[in-house]
Amino acid sequence: MIVTMQPGATLKEISAVIRSLEGFGAQPSISRDCGCTLITAATSKIPIEDQQLRSLSGVRDVHQDVHPFKKVSRDYHPEDTVITAGPAVFGGGRFCVIAGPCAIENEEQIDGVAAHVAAQGAKGLRGGAYKPRTSPYAFQGLGVPGLKMMRAAADAHGLAAVSEVMSISQVAEAVEYLDVLQVGARNMQNFDLLREVGRTDKPVLLKRGPSSKIEELLLAAEYIVDAGNPRVILCERGIRTYETATRNTLDIAAVPVVKQLSHLPIIIDPSHAAGKREYVHSLTLAALAVGADGVMVEVHPDPSKALSDGRQSLHYVEFSALMGDVRRLAEFRAPVGV
Amino acid sequence: MIVTMQPGATLKEISAVIRSLEGFGAQPSISRDCGCTLITAATSKIPIEDQQLRSLSGVRDVHQDVHPFKKVSRDYHPEDTVITAGPAVFGGGRFCVIAGPCAIENEEQIDGVAAHVAAQGAKGLRGGAYKPRTSPYAFQGLGVPGLKMMRAAADAHGLAAVSEVMSISQVAEAVEYLDVLQVGARNMQNFDLLREVGRTDKPVLLKRGPSSKIEELLLAAEYIVDAGNPRVILCERGIRTYETATRNTLDIAAVPVVKQLSHLPIIIDPSHAAGKREYVHSLTLAALAVGADGVMVEVHPDPSKALSDGRQSLHYVEFSALMGDVRRLAEFRAPVGV
Amino acid sequence: MIVTMQPGATLKEISAVIRSLEGFGAQPSISRDCGCTLITAATSKIPIEDQQLRSLSGVRDVHQDVHPFKKVSRDYHPEDTVITAGPAVFGGGRFCVIAGPCAIENEEQIDGVAAHVAAQGAKGLRGGAYKPRTSPYAFQGLGVPGLKMMRAAADAHGLAAVSEVMSISQVAEAVEYLDVLQVGARNMQNFDLLREVGRTDKPVLLKRGPSSKIEELLLAAEYIVDAGNPRVILCERGIRTYETATRNTLDIAAVPVVKQLSHLPIIIDPSHAAGKREYVHSLTLAALAVGADGVMVEVHPDPSKALSDGRQSLHYVEFSALMGDVRRLAEFRAPVGV
Amino acid sequence: MIVTMQPGATLKEISAVIRSLEGFGAQPSISRDCGCTLITAATSKIPIEDQQLRSLSGVRDVHQDVHPFKKVSRDYHPEDTVITAGPAVFGGGRFCVIAGPCAIENEEQIDGVAAHVAAQGAKGLRGGAYKPRTSPYAFQGLGVPGLKMMRAAADAHGLAAVSEVMSISQVAEAVEYLDVLQVGARNMQNFDLLREVGRTDKPVLLKRGPSSKIEELLLAAEYIVDAGNPRVILCERGIRTYETATRNTLDIAAVPVVKQLSHLPIIIDPSHAAGKREYVHSLTLAALAVGADGVMVEVHPDPSKALSDGRQSLHYVEFSALMGDVRRLAEFRAPVGV
């Protein structure tokens, strides 16, 4: 941490900064140059708040160097983390496809989708049992009966079961049925929920909030890892911008940015990003080419009858065509395969 | 609801739309014009999902008319709602000032602030006992002991106690000590929490999420009202944009927009919007002039030592000056006073 | 400027930074602290590009201190600039109202509006003769005949004539007829146009681009002042965000931010920000209360027949009501009056 | 166009809408349903402004169907447009790489880069002779001497010369030296400039404004085509969002959206989107996979000494590595090759 004092800062002001830093357990040292005093401190035991220092009299600027997200940072863990959840593997050069409906509707639906996507090479089955809905009057999901249907379908077709938990009270029941616990975009900063899934032994799929910075996504992951669960898979699903041609704006560059900053795997959700099924194919190929560790796509036996998000769900035939291209493109990328 | 079919839509496609609408309990009727078929339906008992209709073959456009947020809508409740929480009153032409530190730090601090802000005309006392923090390593709040300190300070100085609850488990303990339960911006779409505070008999201060549309804020309020609690106070606290000169961009127009769409009171949080104390004074006056029902501002006895958000907290002397201008400007606005 | 080297930076890397800074005419000095080398340089004659230094090997961070917008900065010109354009005065505590139609349509229309707004206390007349339109097929304005109509109407009713110039070729003819040259939001970074209006002796009303930072607005103003014209009036007219309830998001905090950074006057355009006439009244009062030096509002004798932007134009009776409130509120603010 | 009247709309109000539509040359017809009157009109000769209709008394909603960008729309021109500019071809399945420095600095620099990028398979040479700079004090480009250097370098190495024109006055001289005229992001809505390049016979590379919607980009292209020049190449270069990890947010989905709406080719500029060279490689591969018709990347012999944008320029060795991967991945995509 470097605190730059204003040119005419008094000795009293400089002392106040030093005392403040010492109060945080740091051992600051001083240098003078060009009329400015610079106060430097190595990382202290407890994090130092920028704003507190900035508000001290005579301070011109504060430059934070300490790592805010040590446990998920590549600086402290240079090699990629590879996460295995049943047949699904995230990281290590693979491109893992999770597919399924937005919401679990009934046994026939989820089993049918599972059969189709498994046959095409998907390794994970998605489907919501608890649905966060903007309106209180929209379909809210089947709950535990839905989780049971998903478990049965995943087992029958050799897939990892992936589904969202929306509140602490759901975590205990969800771990009974799922291979991967998903934390949804709206809950990315629901810190109690992050800690709760951090106390389980299941991999967590953490979706980026629609207005969250990449750094905030990594800090949210740090909550989970800090609570004891190192198996976090990040997911970019589009951010909120002024553009309305797509439901969200897919921030494809989040993949190389995360790969540079963190050792955790990151996948893409092109369905929620696009909001329209006709863009999902090309965005999935972009995800593969940019270096993502997988995708999560919505597939429905009959999108026109889907209880939610039908507009962005692929038909079976579209998913088959997509998987054909994914396999061909994956050869370009890596020896590991899909 | 009006569904516009594509020019060449077949009878089969038109029938499918009608059957789909009937499945929602609606009674659609048809008209033809200019080569297009229009299918119109009055409001059904259950909400109709746009996307499901849009994905039907032959559909060109769907125009939703049903109110998604009936209970908070001014259409169904034309007169303003006035909410009383102890000495604080929101709505009805008043301008209610809630003030206090970002976080409750100790008895002396919260009592001192309460004494000062009450003497200047504030009616509510703010202060966090549970602090949602982006980083797991930042100060997380005092919890129940903090709530007790706040209750004592509020009682001693005749103020309403306002504080945030972050999770369902905190609600039961918080209602013991607070007059107003705050739902923070990060939790605006934590639907389980919305329902839980909706089951209490305390007014709820609902902050707009940093990337939420005004309509989504109203839908979140609808969750609370639908759960049984009609006393919701909305709060605009700045949205996330590309501009970095302020912490967030205060969407001042949210006040007239909300006033047009809803009967609920709305206040402004200029401190979190600005992120810098020097802008809080003028933004508070703008809030008053634009027609807001109040503000919530951060005040600290010594901002340079605040455990969080010191940069945006007012000094006592700044708060006194602000309240002087608020009183003068309030005379311009209304006969009701501050 | 402070360049922080990485902990293990070599002497060669440090020398390269010093040589680079010297190449810009700076005289750098070195200090060492805590394992890091800091290289500091006072402002050089030519501006130093951050990115060039950042890309040098061994550099960890670059902290720019030099003022990028010296001539419009309050640091170099502490007192407010007051700009007079005929009967209109911007700055110095006044609240100057510019009003008129979006586009000049014919003599009767512009003269009628001028008569009405002048009678209500407006000091400037707005109206487009050249209209920048997103679509090539929309109404493009009357050109010079429109400017002549505006000049006549402004003279007849004692108003300053304010209108937009869209290209360099229009500047010479426009200065013949106008008191204030407006540079529109889409042209805020049309640097050749900025320089051209900077070579005239007319005040320039510079509108903030819909995705421009406040700092970029000030840099655009610097172009005009640097070209020789110190009389620049800034205008905040809403920025582009994800919110769709209003046409743009009025960044009301831009007023105190600009007042802190610059000595130039700043006004608000609530009509383009809101996009709907029913929000213009309250936003104008907010502009006054927040400390803006004026507003520019759209008024039309019959908005339903306006050739453009009728949805956001005030009717005469609405404008009269607004000016009544503006006069009352202005008494609160300053002794100078409207 | 469909105008939906409010439930209780009077005959007088309905007549006013019909007269208004007839005033635009449309032939409206009426239908009634469910208490609402719907007025429908086929496309009129002149465009109908939504807002004008919306502001009429009794109107509830207006639904525009007419095409705002006919000439660039795929609806009116289903097959892809292929544009040839010397050795560079855009569209038709190829992936065309334009490379070069941000700014032309001297003969040696531009010739050296041209030699390198041509040897690696690039077909176009980029380099700025006129530089739009946010600050008036930054390096502004060499002008015509720079264009001459670029022409010589392009000829020597068999490349198409691509450079930006910033104002109408530069167009006449620029067409003497260039194969493709670039309109920069800041000028995307400089409508006079769009028309001026629309009157030349050179292909135009039109960059998307940093806060422009895709629809606005297509409307800007429509200006150029409407002025007589059908050869427009679109370029997505990142949009402005709240995320700061990259310079802009690359809207990769703009490619499939544009491909659906328009027949024009679209390329990606990963350098300006990322702002950091380490992300350019993966974003280029994403561009190829998503279906873009090419990329424009910054390459510099010594980025640390670049006069602008050095931080995002590739070193020669990085560009060579990139082109190797581009060739391999292009085989996956198409039989046409790079």
mmCIF file of all heavy atoms in Angstrom, chain C residues 196-214:
data_model
loop_
_atom_site.group_PDB
_atom_site.id
_atom_site.type_symbol
_atom_site.label_atom_id
_atom_site.label_comp_id
_atom_site.label_asym_id
_atom_site.label_seq_id
_atom_site.Cartn_x
_atom_site.Cartn_y
_atom_site.Cartn_z
ATOM 1 N N GLU C 196 -13.355 24.439 -34.428
ATOM 2 C CA GLU C 196 -13.963 25.474 -35.273
ATOM 3 C C GLU C 196 -14.810 26.443 -34.439
ATOM 4 O O GLU C 196 -14.689 27.662 -34.598
ATOM 5 C CB GLU C 196 -14.838 24.801 -36.352
ATOM 6 C CG GLU C 196 -15.330 25.748 -37.429
ATOM 7 C CD GLU C 196 -14.230 26.190 -38.394
ATOM 8 O OE1 GLU C 196 -13.152 25.551 -38.418
ATOM 9 O OE2 GLU C 196 -14.444 27.196 -39.109
ATOM 10 N N VAL C 197 -15.648 25.927 -33.560
ATOM 11 C CA VAL C 197 -16.430 26.844 -32.710
ATOM 12 C C VAL C 197 -15.507 27.567 -31.725
ATOM 13 O O VAL C 197 -15.832 28.660 -31.256
ATOM 14 C CB VAL C 197 -17.583 26.135 -31.958
ATOM 15 C CG1 VAL C 197 -18.585 25.542 -32.948
ATOM 16 C CG2 VAL C 197 -17.062 25.052 -31.015
ATOM 17 N N GLY C 198 -14.359 26.955 -31.460
ATOM 18 C CA GLY C 198 -13.371 27.591 -30.584
ATOM 19 C C GLY C 198 -12.709 28.789 -31.248
ATOM 20 O O GLY C 198 -12.083 29.612 -30.578
ATOM 21 N N ARG C 199 -12.826 28.883 -32.560
ATOM 22 C CA ARG C 199 -12.233 30.023 -33.269
ATOM 23 C C ARG C 199 -13.245 31.159 -33.471
ATOM 24 O O ARG C 199 -12.903 32.186 -34.032
ATOM 25 C CB ARG C 199 -11.675 29.552 -34.616
ATOM 26 C CG ARG C 199 -10.339 28.809 -34.475
ATOM 27 C CD ARG C 199 -9.682 28.506 -35.806
ATOM 28 N NE ARG C 199 -10.293 27.398 -36.488
ATOM 29 C CZ ARG C 199 -9.845 26.133 -36.459
ATOM 30 N NH1 ARG C 199 -8.754 25.841 -35.769
ATOM 31 N NH2 ARG C 199 -10.463 25.178 -37.095
ATOM 32 N N THR C 200 -14.502 30.969 -33.051
ATOM 33 C CA THR C 200 -15.494 32.035 -33.164
ATOM 34 C C THR C 200 -15.490 32.854 -31.866
ATOM 35 O O THR C 200 -14.833 32.484 -30.893
ATOM 36 C CB THR C 200 -16.924 31.470 -33.358
ATOM 37 O OG1 THR C 200 -17.361 30.894 -32.119
ATOM 38 C CG2 THR C 200 -16.947 30.394 -34.441
ATOM 39 N N ASP C 201 -16.257 33.931 -31.874
ATOM 40 C CA ASP C 201 -16.358 34.744 -30.655
ATOM 41 C C ASP C 201 -17.732 34.605 -30.005
ATOM 42 O O ASP C 201 -18.147 35.473 -29.240
ATOM 43 C CB ASP C 201 -16.052 36.213 -30.963
ATOM 44 C CG ASP C 201 -17.059 36.808 -31.942
ATOM 45 O OD1 ASP C 201 -17.894 36.041 -32.491
ATOM 46 O OD2 ASP C 201 -17.027 38.026 -32.158
ATOM 47 N N LYS C 202 -18.410 33.533 -30.303
ATOM 48 C CA LYS C 202 -19.728 33.281 -29.708
ATOM 49 C C LYS C 202 -19.605 32.276 -28.559
ATOM 50 O O LYS C 202 -18.846 31.298 -28.668
ATOM 51 C CB LYS C 202 -20.668 32.657 -30.759
ATOM 52 C CG LYS C 202 -20.940 33.514 -31.957
ATOM 53 C CD LYS C 202 -21.894 34.633 -31.629
ATOM 54 C CE LYS C 202 -22.188 35.444 -32.892
ATOM 55 N NZ LYS C 202 -23.050 36.582 -32.630
ATOM 56 N N PRO C 203 -20.382 32.462 -27.509
ATOM 57 C CA PRO C 203 -20.422 31.422 -26.471
ATOM 58 C C PRO C 203 -20.866 30.085 -27.072
ATOM 59 O O PRO C 203 -21.678 30.055 -28.007
ATOM 60 C CB PRO C 203 -21.480 31.939 -25.482
ATOM 61 C CG PRO C 203 -21.520 33.411 -25.688
ATOM 62 C CD PRO C 203 -21.208 33.621 -27.151
ATOM 63 N N VAL C 204 -20.323 29.005 -26.517
ATOM 64 C CA VAL C 204 -20.637 27.665 -27.015
ATOM 65 C C VAL C 204 -21.346 26.875 -25.911
ATOM 66 O O VAL C 204 -20.874 26.837 -24.777
ATOM 67 C CB VAL C 204 -19.346 26.915 -27.434
ATOM 68 C CG1 VAL C 204 -19.675 25.486 -27.847
ATOM 69 C CG2 VAL C 204 -18.646 27.666 -28.555
ATOM 70 N N LEU C 205 -22.482 26.292 -26.263
ATOM 71 C CA LEU C 205 -23.193 25.398 -25.343
ATOM 72 C C LEU C 205 -22.795 23.979 -25.722
ATOM 73 O O LEU C 205 -23.175 23.486 -26.785
ATOM 74 C CB LEU C 205 -24.710 25.593 -25.491
ATOM 75 C CG LEU C 205 -25.593 24.706 -24.622
ATOM 76 C CD1 LEU C 205 -25.351 24.969 -23.141
ATOM 77 C CD2 LEU C 205 -27.065 24.958 -24.939
ATOM 78 N N LEU C 206 -22.022 23.328 -24.850
ATOM 79 C CA LEU C 206 -21.458 22.015 -25.173
ATOM 80 C C LEU C 206 -22.212 20.941 -24.411
ATOM 81 O O LEU C 206 -22.127 20.856 -23.186
ATOM 82 C CB LEU C 206 -19.970 21.993 -24.782
ATOM 83 C CG LEU C 206 -19.226 20.678 -24.975
ATOM 84 C CD1 LEU C 206 -19.126 20.297 -26.448
ATOM 85 C CD2 LEU C 206 -17.817 20.777 -24.373
ATOM 86 N N LYS C 207 -22.923 20.092 -25.150
ATOM 87 C CA LYS C 207 -23.705 19.040 -24.492
ATOM 88 C C LYS C 207 -22.858 17.792 -24.265
ATOM 89 O O LYS C 207 -22.055 17.413 -25.120
ATOM 90 C CB LYS C 207 -24.942 18.700 -25.323
ATOM 91 C CG LYS C 207 -25.865 19.912 -25.475
ATOM 92 C CD LYS C 207 -27.207 19.550 -26.086
ATOM 93 C CE LYS C 207 -28.177 19.143 -25.007
ATOM 94 N NZ LYS C 207 -29.557 18.988 -25.552
ATOM 95 N N ARG C 208 -23.069 17.185 -23.116
ATOM 96 C CA ARG C 208 -22.332 15.966 -22.768
ATOM 97 C C ARG C 208 -22.802 14.812 -23.642
ATOM 98 O O ARG C 208 -24.004 14.603 -23.818
ATOM 99 C CB ARG C 208 -22.619 15.638 -21.305
ATOM 100 C CG ARG C 208 -21.928 14.378 -20.805
ATOM 101 C CD ARG C 208 -22.308 14.141 -19.356
ATOM 102 N NE ARG C 208 -21.647 12.984 -18.799
ATOM 103 C CZ ARG C 208 -21.903 12.510 -17.587
ATOM 104 N NH1 ARG C 208 -22.795 13.106 -16.814
ATOM 105 N NH2 ARG C 208 -21.260 11.442 -17.137
ATOM 106 N N GLY C 209 -21.883 14.056 -24.180
ATOM 107 C CA GLY C 209 -22.225 12.872 -24.957
ATOM 108 C C GLY C 209 -22.929 11.851 -24.085
ATOM 109 O O GLY C 209 -22.657 11.755 -22.887
ATOM 110 N N PRO C 210 -23.819 11.062 -24.681
ATOM 111 C CA PRO C 210 -24.637 10.147 -23.876
ATOM 112 C C PRO C 210 -23.842 9.035 -23.205
ATOM 113 O O PRO C 210 -24.366 8.347 -22.342
ATOM 114 C CB PRO C 210 -25.640 9.578 -24.886
ATOM 115 C CG PRO C 210 -25.041 9.820 -26.227
ATOM 116 C CD PRO C 210 -24.169 11.039 -26.099
ATOM 117 N N SER C 211 -22.601 8.842 -23.607
ATOM 118 C CA SER C 211 -21.789 7.849 -22.898
ATOM 119 C C SER C 211 -20.449 8.445 -22.514
ATOM 120 O O SER C 211 -19.466 7.727 -22.375
ATOM 121 C CB SER C 211 -21.597 6.607 -23.739
ATOM 122 O OG SER C 211 -20.674 6.849 -24.759
ATOM 123 N N SER C 212 -20.430 9.744 -22.328
ATOM 124 C CA SER C 212 -19.169 10.403 -21.981
ATOM 125 C C SER C 212 -19.043 10.567 -20.474
ATOM 126 O O SER C 212 -20.013 10.883 -19.793
ATOM 127 C CB SER C 212 -19.107 11.786 -22.630
ATOM 128 O OG SER C 212 -19.111 11.653 -24.024
ATOM 129 N N LYS C 213 -17.841 10.393 -19.996
ATOM 130 C CA LYS C 213 -17.542 10.692 -18.605
ATOM 131 C C LYS C 213 -17.459 12.206 -18.435
ATOM 132 O O LYS C 213 -17.186 12.946 -19.389
ATOM 133 C CB LYS C 213 -16.205 10.064 -18.206
ATOM 134 C CG LYS C 213 -16.235 8.547 -18.227
ATOM 135 C CD LYS C 213 -14.968 7.979 -17.613
ATOM 136 C CE LYS C 213 -15.073 6.458 -17.600
ATOM 137 N NZ LYS C 213 -14.041 5.852 -16.771
ATOM 138 N N ILE C 214 -17.651 12.646 -17.213
ATOM 139 C CA ILE C 214 -17.558 14.076 -16.926
ATOM 140 C C ILE C 214 -16.169 14.584 -17.302
ATOM 141 O O ILE C 214 -16.022 15.672 -17.844
ATOM 142 C CB ILE C 214 -17.868 14.326 -15.434
ATOM 143 C CG1 ILE C 214 -19.338 13.984 -15.162
ATOM 144 C CG2 ILE C 214 -17.573 15.769 -15.047
ATOM 145 C CD1 ILE C 214 -19.701 13.919 -13.693
#
